[in-house]
Amino acid sequence: AYLSKGDVEKGKILSKKCAACHNFEKGSGNKVGPEMWGIVGASKAHKSDYAYSDALLAMKEKGSNWGWQELSEFLTKPTAYAKGTKMVFAGLAKPEDRANMIVYLNSMSDNPLPIPAYTPPAEEEPAAEGE
């Protein structure tokens, strides 16, 4: 539900918290952290020119990708998601902030993924009398 309402511009503003360690533009290179261009949908630890933590390298070996849910969990609290990560960022507690950040990250790509549409859960029909 949050992703379908995600705002690229709000995510771009949030990304300023990350700019000390990450670049977002294509070809801008790594800083303390890897460049974020094309991260959504990419395999974990996918940049060959960056020295990832053992935690993320182990995830890569398992074939894990940075999907919508994985990014949300990582951005909630990186050290809890990837024990041993070098990323010291505390995280984004609000789901709407994570959604805004993720749709912004998705826009930073040659091939952005379609944002999943929100489908509300089906309501259960009340049981008929006598059942």
Side-chain angles (χ1 to χ4, degrees), residues 61-75:
E61 288 177 18
K62 292 179 182 176
S64 187
N65 288 351
W66 286 119
W68 308 111
Q69 186 63 37
E70 292 80 6
L71 282 165
S72 180
E73 290 174 16
F74 183 75
L75 290 171

Side-chain angles (χ1 to χ4, degrees), residues 3-117:
L3 278 174
S4 66
K5 296 176 185 173
D7 184 308
V8 170
E9 289 305 313
K10 288 180 181 177
K12 185 175 184 177
I13 292 166
L14 280 168
S15 76
K16 292 177 182 182
K17 294 180 178 186
C18 313
C21 296
H22 295 282
N23 281 320
F24 294 87
E25 299 297 326
K26 184 176 184 177
S28 56
N30 302 319
K31 287 183 168 181
V32 173
E35 176 187 311
M36 293 285 98
W37 181 266
I39 191 75
V40 179
S43 67
K44 293 182 179 157
H46 71 285
K47 296 189 62 61
S48 62
D49 63 345
Y50 184 77
Y52 291 94
S53 65
D54 290 341
L56 289 176
L57 290 172
M59 290 178 182
K60 178 182 181 173
E61 288 177 18
K62 292 179 182 176
S64 187
N65 288 351
W66 286 119
W68 308 111
Q69 186 63 37
E70 292 80 6
L71 282 165
S72 180
E73 290 174 16
F74 183 75
L75 290 171
T76 299
K77 188 169 184 180
T79 56
Y81 181 81
K83 292 180 181 21
T85 183
K86 295 187 279 185
M87 189 163 154
V88 295
F89 180 63
L92 297 171
K94 295 179 183 176
E96 55 272 15
D97 285 348
R98 292 192 306 276
N100 292 334
M101 178 63 81
I102 294 166
V103 297
Y104 171 68
L105 290 172
N106 187 54
S107 76
M108 299 285 99
S109 172
D110 290 327
N111 299 299
L113 300 176
I115 303 296

